[in-house]
Amino acid sequence: MKSLLYFLCGLLLLTACKRNRDEGMDIPPSITSFWPNSGKAGTIVTINGTGFNRKDNEVTFNGATATVLDVNDTVMTVLAPASGSSGKLSVKTNGKELEAGSYTYQDLSVRGASPLNGPAGTNVVILGEGFSSINAPAKVLVNGKEATITSVNDTTLIASVPVSAGSGTIKVMVDGKEVNGPAFLFQNISKIKPLKGGKGTQVTITGEGFNAVAANNAIAFNGKAGTVISATTTQLVVATPDDVATGPLTVTINGQKTVGPVFTVIPPPVLATVAPLSGPAGKDVTITGANFSSEIDENNVMFNGIAGVVKQATDKELLVTIPVGAGTGNMKVWVNGQETGGPQFKEQNLGVASLSPDNGLAGTTVTVAGIGFSTNPADNIVTFNGVPATVLSATATTLEVTAPATVSTGTVNVKVNSLDAIGPVFRHAGVMTLAGGPGTGMFVGTTGLTGDRNGNLYFLQGQQVQKLSPDGIVSTYTGGTVSAHQDGPLATALFQNPRTITTDIYDNIYVLEGIGQRNYVRKITPAGNVTTVLTILDNLSGALAVDNNGAIYVGKMYQGVYKSESNGSLTKFSSFPHTVPDKMALDALGNLYYAGGDYNNPFIVVAPASGTSRYLCGSVFETGFVDGNGPVARLGSPLCTVLDPSTGNIFFVDNMNMCIRYVTPSGTVKTVTGAGGTFDSFKAGYKDGTLTEALFKNMNGIHVDRSGNIYVLDQYNNAVRKIFVK
């Protein structure tokens, strides 16, 4: 008996618990929408809401009871009753009576629509009845905005979702009658951030119509699938895939694709300089390089694991405030999720921020800017690439120093008491006069410049080939005071109107000479023997070049460039009929480069296989002084081309702009030195010093040695100048 009582008590307790649990889970019933809101008897009506009872539901159309076809917690489908009439649609469920709205009995009805999501331009197929009219065309509205109908008959409409429609009900209007259909979810991408990055970059997509379940949104970067990290109806956060490619970002939901902005793949950030490399918290550091973001919040800079504050940002420079607690440790830069390691930074009260100038030769006065210097010059120990320099004057933020006699390229460091600070790189670069100068009377009537592997330079003067040794001594190499054509040893060889000089890779010297229609190319071997290697009975320009196989290239007046064959004949090499003025350059692939001179300002390249000429940079019709890529660059009287074998760059003199410039094989023009560091045309003069200070005047010869040093025959200044750039 006692066991039976225990069983009954347990059963009552279990029943009470179940009842309480079910009651706690009850959701008050409500109706959010129904469609269609018109139709004939037998039309299927879908009612959306919450808290519906799965049993004992009663639906009436203006008092007439309808047949309930199916029901769950949120959706109920019913048939419009035959005995119904236009009026209120009511639902009784869970003991509560709800009004859904008004239902109209009429011929116009919507049975369904597909797709029910997508961007502007999506073609929605609407099925129903009563769409045809002989009075006026049917109209379709999406969220109140009229769509473009592309096809219609009595039971089918195809409509294009309008721009900026937004999400809302699909409505069909025919002959003054209207019917509401299902809701359309409008998809749109308003922006993505960032617009650039690489693999693993987290991209935030802002818009509307997204699915709040992350897995239901398919994101692709130019067709490469990304990973959705989080999702709301208005924002998605997505990680780019490892094989991310530049192209449009797309969001696909329920098979409907929305196309967004282009995501551009860029490499990780590149750090060129960080200055200063030490300093106290609160001071600023300038980082130069490439692939930064111009959006401040897309750049993150860490000092030994502590975040700095990025104050300004461009794609090539960041200005960052040193954080408290940076200590001593390596810097790191993240741009849109891509990381690059940086140099070691010290949080201390001593730092070197900049050098002015940042290049020069021995004896150059340099202003070192920074913080924490001693006002007593003797307390500041300054070194250029490890070599001590003389400190002329000092304040707490600037030091005036003299570059040491043995200055070489390297960092400028400062030591004050127990603190050391690493500064920016000072380049051993600048211009010096190797021989001659204004008033010396040297190099009068000279032209052309070339050199051998021992550092000797050669140029033409009168009927002679002159030699300039590495220590600046000028001597006659070969040729006499009379004009004649005579081969033989250096001591007896004679030349007739020599006008262009060049060398090959074996240190053979070639001289173009002649008068009228009788011209010669002479070869001078390192052993000192002069021979005639080519005779041309035609009017020649000053063009001359020799390739690695010994083939000679010359130019005919108004006919372009010709190449010598093994039998001594000439074949047309270029497709342009230019009159090339002087020395040309050849690269290892056999591409021929020449400058246009006074009357043809572009730089021209001739491809060896096809002989097809093309403009590498500059403008045919416009002179100027502009560095830049290809046709953007502007030149003025470019002359005297020479190849730097270590870089592949082609150097030349620009006499209108009084400067030395070079063009890369891809066509980018840059100025090395001249015009006093300005881009002012015709700024001529004579001045040695830094690359930005130097001045030149009417140059007519250039040579680049194996170390990358540049030599210029500066005839109007009676000098040969040497330019250090490395």
Side-chain angles (χ1 to χ4, degrees):
M1 185 67 181
K2 186 180 294 186
S3 298
L4 181 60
L5 288 173
Y6 286 153
F7 173 75
L8 292 172
C9 289
L11 184 61
L12 289 171
L13 182 61
L14 181 61
T15 302
C17 289
K18 183 178 185 301
R19 184 174 64 250
N20 290 337
R21 184 174 66 250
D22 290 344
E23 290 173 354
M25 294 177 64
D26 284 347
I27 299 174
S30 66
I31 295 175
T32 56
S33 66
F34 76 97
W35 67 273
N37 63 344
S38 73
K40 298 178 180 178
T43 298
I44 298 175
V45 178
T46 300
I47 305 169
N48 301 301
T50 58
F52 296 158
N53 194 338
R54 293 177 182 269
K55 298 179 180 179
D56 302 327
N57 297 287
E58 183 180 339
V59 180
T60 59
F61 285 65
N62 202 24
T65 302
T67 301
V68 178
L69 300 176
D70 190 29
V71 64
N72 59 37
D73 293 343
T74 60
V75 179
M76 186 182 302
T77 55
V78 300
L79 286 177
S83 58
S85 60
S86 297
K88 293 180 180 179
L89 190 156
S90 301
V91 177
K92 184 181 290 185
T93 183
N94 264 341
K96 186 174 181 180
E97 188 167 341
L98 306 169
E99 287 190 6
S102 295
Y103 183 87
T104 303
Y105 273 78
Q106 61 182 16
D107 290 338
L108 183 61
S109 180
V110 171
R111 293 200 310 273
S114 178
L116 288 176
N117 69 286
T122 299
N123 285 322
V124 179
V125 179
I126 305 169
L127 303 178
E129 294 179 286
F131 297 154
S132 295
S133 171
I134 61 173
N135 299 318
K139 288 185 178 181
V140 174
L141 305 181
V142 178
N143 191 36
K145 296 187 178 179
E146 186 170 352
T148 301
I149 296 176
T150 58
S151 178
V152 62
N153 60 41
D154 194 58
T155 59
T156 305
L157 275 169
I158 300 178
S160 178
V161 175
V163 175
S164 304
S167 298
T169 301
I170 296 173
K171 178 180 287 189
V172 179
M173 305 171 68
V174 181
D175 289 342
K177 295 179 288 186
E178 62 182 52
V179 58
N180 288 338
F184 182 85
L185 183 64
F186 184 77
Q187 293 171 208
N188 179 58
I189 299 172
S190 57
K191 72 172 183 177
I192 67 172
K193 184 178 172 61
L195 286 167
K196 299 178 181 180
K199 69 175 184 178
T201 296
Q202 288 194 10
V203 179
T204 299
I205 307 168
T206 303
E208 59 183 306
F210 306 144
N211 197 298
V213 178
N216 292 341
N217 304 275
I219 315 301
F221 296 80
N222 198 23
K224 308 294 184 180
T227 301
V228 181
I229 298 170
S230 64
T232 69
T233 58
T234 59
Q235 191 174 86
L236 302 173
V237 178
V238 187
T240 60
D242 289 348
D243 57 349
V244 61
T246 296
L249 178 146
T250 60
V251 177
T252 303
I253 302 169
N254 297 329
Q256 299 303 306
K257 180 185 291 185
T258 303
V259 180
V262 168
F263 180 84
T264 302
V265 176
I266 61 171
V270 176
L271 274 61
T273 64
V274 177
L277 280 170
S278 60
K283 293 294 183 179
D284 293 334
V285 170
T286 300
I287 304 172
T288 66
N291 304 327
F292 304 141
S293 173
S294 57
E295 299 289 333
I296 288 178
D297 62 343
E298 293 178 7
N299 306 278
N300 293 286
V301 180
M302 307 295 285
F303 294 75
N304 194 27
I306 308 296
V309 177
V310 181
K311 295 169 62 176
Q312 298 175 18
T314 69
D315 61 340
K316 295 182 179 179
E317 186 173 283
L318 301 176
L319 184 66
V320 190
T321 301
I322 303 166
V324 175
T328 299
N330 288 340
M331 298 177 67
K332 289 185 178 180
V333 177
W334 280 270
V335 180
N336 298 335
Q338 298 193 94
E339 175 188 337
T340 295
Q344 187 182 80
F345 183 89
K346 290 183 181 180
E347 184 185 7
Q348 62 179 19
N349 290 321
L350 179 65
V352 179
S354 64
L355 309 174
S356 181
D358 62 0
N359 69 88
L361 304 175
T364 300
T365 300
V366 179
T367 300
V368 182
I371 55 173
F373 303 148
S374 172
T375 56
N376 180 10
D379 292 340
N380 303 280
I381 309 300
V382 180
T383 58
F384 284 66
N385 200 24
V387 179
T390 300
V391 180
L392 303 175
S393 63
T395 71
T397 57
T398 59
L399 301 174
E400 296 291 328
V401 300
T402 302
T406 57
V407 64
S408 59
T409 298
T411 60
V412 173
N413 301 340
V414 177
K415 182 176 182 180
V416 179
N417 299 322
S418 62
L419 299 180
D420 288 286
I422 300 173
V425 171
F426 181 85
R427 285 195 303 143
H428 177 226
V431 179
M432 62 168 283
T433 298
L434 180 62
T440 63
M442 298 178 65
F443 306 106
V444 175
T446 56
T447 187
L449 193 66
T450 192
D452 62 24
R453 287 174 291 182
N454 296 317
N456 298 302
L457 299 176
Y458 303 88
F459 58 92
L460 301 173
Q461 187 171 32
Q463 309 301 324
Q464 298 174 331
V465 177
Q466 300 285 343
K467 178 180 179 180
L468 176 61
S469 67
D471 56 1
I473 304 301
V474 177
S475 60
T476 299
Y477 186 58
T478 185
T481 57
V482 298
S483 174
H485 179 84
Q486 180 174 306
D487 290 338
L490 296 177
T492 60
L494 297 174
F495 294 83
Q496 188 176 49
N497 189 32
R499 55 189 184 276
T500 309
I501 186 169
T502 191
T503 52
D504 65 16
I505 60 173
Y506 308 106
D507 282 349
N508 295 300
I509 301 171
Y510 294 80
V511 176
L512 174 65
E513 65 163 22
I515 298 175
Q517 292 191 345
R518 181 169 293 276
N519 294 277
Y520 308 97
V521 175
R522 313 283 292 281
K523 179 179 179 180
I524 308 170
T525 67
N529 188 43
V530 180
T531 59
T532 300
V533 292
L534 192 62
T535 300
I536 308 104
L537 300 179
D538 205 341
N539 290 319
L540 295 187
S541 66
L544 180 65
V546 182
D547 66 20
N548 294 345
N549 299 315
I552 299 169
Y553 300 77
V554 296
K556 293 186 179 182
M557 297 293 289
Y558 309 109
Q559 297 181 57
V561 179
Y562 286 73
K563 177 183 178 182
S564 69
E565 303 298 337
S566 57
N567 62 2
S569 64
L570 296 177
T571 57
K572 185 73 177 288
F573 187 69
S574 70
S575 59
F576 285 170
H578 293 144
T579 297
V580 184
D582 49 29
K583 185 171 65 172
M584 303 178 293
L586 281 155
D587 64 18
L589 300 176
N591 294 304
L592 179 73
Y593 302 87
Y594 61 86
D598 293 335
Y599 303 105
N600 193 28
N601 286 292
F603 220 93
I604 294 102
V605 58
V606 182
S610 63
T612 301
S613 302
R614 62 183 174 88
Y615 294 117
L616 184 62
C617 61
S619 169
V620 176
F621 306 105
E622 187 176 348
T623 62
F625 194 0
V626 179
D627 285 349
N629 297 324
V632 173
R634 291 292 178 268
L635 316 175
S637 301
L639 297 166
C640 313
T641 57
V642 64
L643 180 78
D644 179 359
S646 64
T647 64
N649 296 326
I650 302 94
F651 286 78
F652 61 97
V653 301
D654 187 334
N655 264 341
M656 187 184 82
N657 297 308
M658 303 300 169
C659 63
I660 290 83
R661 308 173 78 178
Y662 71 86
V663 58
T664 66
S666 63
T668 300
V669 175
K670 295 186 178 181
T671 299
V672 179
T673 184
T678 72
F679 277 82
D680 293 336
S681 299
F682 304 106
K683 188 168 183 180
Y686 174 78
K687 186 176 183 180
D688 286 342
T690 67
L691 296 177
T692 55
E693 293 174 333
L695 293 173
F696 299 83
K697 188 175 183 180
N698 287 80
M699 302 152 284
N700 58 352
I702 187 171
H703 174 69
V704 180
D705 68 18
R706 290 182 297 172
S707 299
N709 299 309
I710 306 167
Y711 302 84
V712 175
L713 179 57
D714 191 1
Q715 187 193 39
Y716 278 33
N717 283 319
N718 304 113
V720 170
R721 317 279 292 279
K722 183 176 182 178
I723 305 168
F724 301 86
V725 292
K726 296 185 178 180

